[in-house]
Amino acid sequence: MIDAGERVAPTGEGVSLGGLETTVGFLLRLAQVAVFKDLLAALKPFDLRVTDLSVLLVIEATPGLHQRAIGDVLRIQRPNLVTIIDQLEARRLVRRGPVADDRRAYALRLTSEGEALLREAKVAHAEHGRKVLDALGDLEPERMLAALERIAAL
Amino acid sequence: MIDAGERVAPTGEGVSLGGLETTVGFLLRLAQVAVFKDLLAALKPFDLRVTDLSVLLVIEATPGLHQRAIGDVLRIQRPNLVTIIDQLEARRLVRRGPVADDRRAYALRLTSEGEALLREAKVAHAEHGRKVLDALGDLEPERMLAALERIAAL
DNA sequence: TATTGTTATACTCTATAACTATA
DNA sequence: TATAGTTATAGAGTATAACAATA
């Protein structure tokens, strides 16, 4: 009988994860943290966080949309979006314009500065994206995306 | 020419994600959030968070290990682990025992209460795990795990 | 009444510096 | 000197309640 009790390595080297290592959830988290870390580093030169890039992309895709709509698609609470837009607006990347028939809401658009920065950020984003796709190896991206979508709909 | 500008749905329905929807990173995050949410709900009856379960599993797999080792394998900062172990110990699920040749460190073990609770929690965890595997559909779990591992090593 | 954006606030997670007691 | 655990603290990220202006 092996007395593993008092002869354990102080660091985690060789210590078992107790089954967690073959769990989708655990590896999903490690992968997500790694991807966000890599993207954050890629966006560093533009002083953008992952969320900032997402917001800019959504505004670019649908100019004039309300803050509410961004929160809906990106799953950001409305109160938290206020600060994000405040910062982007302070940097003159985004403009809060008037909405013709609703004076409560803002029509969000990229400024030309915002468009210019996003153009560059998208290059870095694409490069990051290629790294992630490379990591998929023999797994087809479409199958990965489909699986992740189904998991997200749990 | 279509003037999409001022005719935008206030809610996010039908609003484009600007390419994010076909991005591994974005879906990875949605999937991870969904999995943790589902697991947290599954662990609710045991008053355990996802991290608590992970810690219990690691201690069970290697009884007597140091706090340091848990932090290493689960990527939890040592200061943050203190509170987690404090709470588990206060609930008499875990014991901080002495280490024979090092009076700075603790040998962590499950109490019998901890073993009993973990036994039940593992059933719920397994059921949750099956739901996640089902969501993989035609994608073989091993291929998913391998891909996630490579992404995590970015 | 309901909704948009806002303010204030709180809670969780994560991160860092510095201390203690040992090694 | 270095290490294990600890304390204190700070920073993200995320969440809810309530308000003003407007619909």
Side-chain angles (χ1 to χ4, degrees), chain B residues 45-68:
Chain B
F46 313 103
D47 194 24
L48 292 174
R49 291 161 304 178
V50 177
T51 304
D52 297 324
L53 175 67
S54 306
V55 167
L56 293 178
L57 286 171
V58 169
I59 296 176
E60 184 194 42
T62 312
L65 85 178
H66 301 0
Q67 283 184 199
R68 165 86 206 272

Side-chain angles (χ1 to χ4, degrees), chain B residues 103-125:
Chain B
R103 298 197 332 208
R104 297 171 303 179
Y106 293 122
L108 297 171
R109 288 172 199 290
L110 299 184
T111 63
S112 46
E113 257 185 276
E115 283 170 355
L117 188 75
L118 180 55
R119 196 152 39 229
E120 293 185 62
K122 278 165 100 171
V123 175
H125 184 217

Side-chain angles (χ1 to χ4, degrees), chain B:
Chain B
M1 181 193 170
I2 300 167
D3 177 12
E6 315 298 344
R7 301 177 195 177
V8 169
T11 66
E13 294 196 58
V15 167
S16 165
L17 275 161
L20 246 32
E21 65 281 351
T22 56
T23 259
V24 172
F26 182 71
L27 288 177
L28 206 50
R29 183 173 134 74
L30 293 189
Q32 191 257 300
V33 168
V35 166
F36 270 54
K37 195 173 186 176
D38 187 80
L39 180 52
L40 181 64
L43 295 176
K44 195 92 175 188
F46 313 103
D47 194 24
L48 292 174
R49 291 161 304 178
V50 177
T51 304
D52 297 324
L53 175 67
S54 306
V55 167
L56 293 178
L57 286 171
V58 169
I59 296 176
E60 184 194 42
T62 312
L65 85 178
H66 301 0
Q67 283 184 199
R68 165 86 206 272
I70 298 178
D72 284 355
V73 296
L74 290 180
R75 311 203 185 180
I76 301 172
Q77 303 290 327
R78 266 65 81 226
N80 298 330
L81 202 50
V82 173
T83 314
I84 296 169
I85 302 293
D86 278 353
Q87 292 166 346
L88 293 175
E89 195 179 36
R91 290 176 63 187
R92 310 282 176 197
L93 302 175
V94 159
R95 217 182 73 235
R96 277 194 250 233
V99 172
D101 56 343
D102 189 341
R103 298 197 332 208
R104 297 171 303 179
Y106 293 122
L108 297 171
R109 288 172 199 290
L110 299 184
T111 63
S112 46
E113 257 185 276
E115 283 170 355
L117 188 75
L118 180 55
R119 196 152 39 229
E120 293 185 62
K122 278 165 100 171
V123 175
H125 184 217
E127 193 178 341
H128 153 83
R130 271 190 296 277
K131 279 170 67 177
V132 176
L133 287 182
D134 282 351
L136 290 184
D138 64 331
L139 176 54
E140 306 89 326
E142 308 77 33
R143 289 185 77 193
M144 175 57 121
L145 293 178
L148 291 176
E149 260 176 44
R150 283 190 301 264
I151 295 176
L154 263 193

Side-chain angles (χ1 to χ4, degrees), chain A residues 24-82:
Chain A
V24 172
F26 182 71
L27 288 177
L28 206 50
R29 182 172 134 76
L30 293 190
Q32 191 257 300
V33 169
V35 166
F36 269 55
K37 195 173 188 176
D38 187 79
L39 180 53
L40 182 64
L43 295 175
K44 196 92 174 188
F46 312 103
D47 194 23
L48 292 175
R49 291 160 305 179
V50 177
T51 305
D52 297 324
L53 175 68
S54 306
V55 168
L56 292 178
L57 286 172
V58 169
I59 296 177
E60 183 194 41
T62 312
L65 85 177
H66 301 359
Q67 283 183 201
R68 165 87 207 273
I70 298 178
D72 284 356
V73 295
L74 290 179
R75 311 204 185 179
I76 302 172
Q77 304 290 327
R78 264 65 80 225
N80 298 331
L81 202 50
V82 173

